[in-house]
């Protein structure tokens, strides 16, 4: 496309799209004119490669003067670097796993949202334990659970049984909906007694669907009791 007028859209599309070259059949950016105005790669056109990543030299996934993979590498490295300047050894598999993916643009988009990245940084700085319990200290949302699944896939965290995940999700929803004046007591009891016991059972392979059902019934009963106290103008400490 050298020395030819192009609109911005066509220029960006041509200079960032990788396709098989008409001459060598290898995947390259086809932004160079050969004989007969045929678009081909730089090597086949006898031109210096211009549309490459300035860091690694790749023509794949270009975003400006760098490729998405190099951008992602820099961003993740920053997130999981300790205050001492080293990549946290326990979190390094996160970097390796994300860089191995074939769609670095989607990883870049995930990093841009920032919801789960603060958890990673907190873990790298030893402010949050690298554990299921550590993740649970943050509000439950899709970003948090996606990060949990990522850490499990990287073998950074042990797999959490489905019964455990469902029960913990139900507990979060239950606590969010309960609004009696003594909600703080229910919250503390659930976090420091119920949830810890559940995780302990799960770590031993002893947590089942029926155990989850029992916990639901138990917490519903506690919730009804606190509501009854509230309706009778009585607080928990006076009961």
């Amino acid at each position: 496309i050298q020395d030819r007028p192009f609109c911005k859209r066509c220029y960006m599309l041509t200079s960032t799209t990788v396709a098989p070259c008409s001459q060598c059949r290898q995947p390259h950016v086809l932004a160079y004119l050969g004989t007969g105005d045929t678009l081909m790669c730089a090597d086949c056109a006898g031109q210096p490669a211009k549309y490459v990543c300035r860091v690694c030299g790749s023509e794949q996934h270009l975003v400006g003067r760098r490729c998405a993979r190099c951008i992602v590498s820099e961003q993740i490295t920053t997130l999981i670097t300790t205050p001492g300047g080293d990549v946290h050894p326990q979190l390094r598999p996160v970097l390796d796993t994300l860089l191995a993916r074939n769609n670095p643009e989607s990883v870049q988009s995930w990093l841009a949202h920032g919801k789960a990245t603060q958890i990673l940084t907190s873990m790298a700085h030893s402010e949050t334990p690298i554990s299921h319990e550590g993740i649970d200290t943050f509000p439950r949302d899709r970003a948090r659970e996606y990060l949990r699944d990522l850490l499990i896939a990287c073998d950074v965290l042990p797999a959490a049984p489905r019964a455990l995940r469902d029960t913990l999700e139900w507990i979060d929803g239950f606590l969010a909906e309960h609004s009696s004046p003594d909600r703080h007591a229910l919250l503390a009891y659930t976090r420091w007694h119920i949830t810890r016991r559940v995780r302990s059972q799960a770590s031993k392979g002893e947590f089942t669907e029926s155990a989850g059902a029992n916990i639901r019934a138990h917490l519903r009963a506690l919730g009804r009791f606190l509501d009854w106290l509230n309706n009778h103008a009585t607080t928990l400490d006076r009961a």
Side-chain angles (χ1 to χ4, degrees), residues 79 88 91 116-130 134 137-138:
L79 288 175
H88 196 296
L91 295 175
T117 55
Q118 63 176 323
I119 304 178
L120 277 177
T121 299
S122 181
M123 288 178 169
H125 290 186
S126 300
E127 298 166 353
T128 298
I130 303 176
T137 62
F138 291 84

Side-chain angles (χ1 to χ4, degrees), residues 13-237:
L13 182 64
T14 302
S15 61
T16 58
T17 299
V18 173
C21 174
S22 59
Q23 301 298 310
C24 66
R25 304 300 180 185
Q26 298 301 310
H28 288 289
V29 168
L30 308 181
Y32 306 86
L33 290 174
T35 56
D37 288 348
T38 301
L39 285 175
M40 58 183 62
C41 69
D43 287 344
C44 292
Q47 299 288 335
K50 179 180 179 182
Y51 305 104
V52 297
C53 174
R54 65 180 180 181
V55 176
C56 68
S58 172
E59 294 181 332
Q60 303 275 353
H61 311 290
L62 291 179
V63 181
R65 298 184 65 187
R66 292 191 295 168
C67 66
R69 202 173 302 281
C70 285
I71 294 173
V72 165
S73 177
E74 179 183 292
Q75 291 175 328
I76 299 174
T77 299
T78 300
L79 288 175
I80 63 174
T81 295
T82 67
D86 299 318
V87 172
H88 196 296
Q90 198 172 345
L91 295 175
R92 177 172 286 279
V94 175
L95 174 63
D96 297 336
T97 298
L98 292 178
L99 289 181
R101 294 190 173 178
N102 294 325
N103 51 347
E105 293 91 349
S106 66
V107 178
Q108 190 178 7
S109 175
W110 175 69
L111 292 171
H113 286 83
K115 282 190 174 183
T117 55
Q118 63 176 323
I119 304 178
L120 277 177
T121 299
S122 181
M123 288 178 169
H125 290 186
S126 300
E127 298 166 353
T128 298
I130 303 176
S131 64
H132 287 291
E133 291 82 359
I135 291 180
D136 288 341
T137 62
F138 291 84
R140 174 180 285 273
D141 56 22
R142 291 179 62 186
R144 187 192 81 169
E145 293 309 304
Y146 177 85
L147 177 61
R148 189 196 304 274
D149 289 336
L150 173 62
L151 294 178
I152 291 173
C154 297
D155 292 326
V156 174
L157 293 182
R162 184 72 257 175
L164 172 65
R165 299 280 293 277
D166 290 344
T167 299
L168 293 177
E169 184 172 356
W170 182 90
I171 288 174
D172 282 345
F174 171 77
L175 294 175
E177 294 174 1
H178 193 80
S179 59
S180 73
D182 287 309
R183 179 180 180 275
H184 65 284
L186 182 63
L187 180 63
Y189 170 73
T190 303
R191 293 295 188 204
W192 297 108
H193 180 70
I194 296 293
T195 301
R196 294 179 77 175
R197 186 179 67 185
V198 164
R199 288 204 177 277
S200 177
Q201 291 177 331
S203 67
K204 301 173 185 176
E206 299 173 355
F207 190 77
T208 62
E209 291 285 355
S210 61
N214 289 337
I215 288 172
R216 291 180 177 87
H218 179 64
L219 290 179
R220 288 192 188 101
L222 291 177
R224 288 194 298 269
F225 175 62
L226 293 180
D227 288 338
W228 184 89
L229 290 177
N230 184 45
N231 292 335
H232 288 77
T234 303
T235 57
L236 186 62
D237 60 347

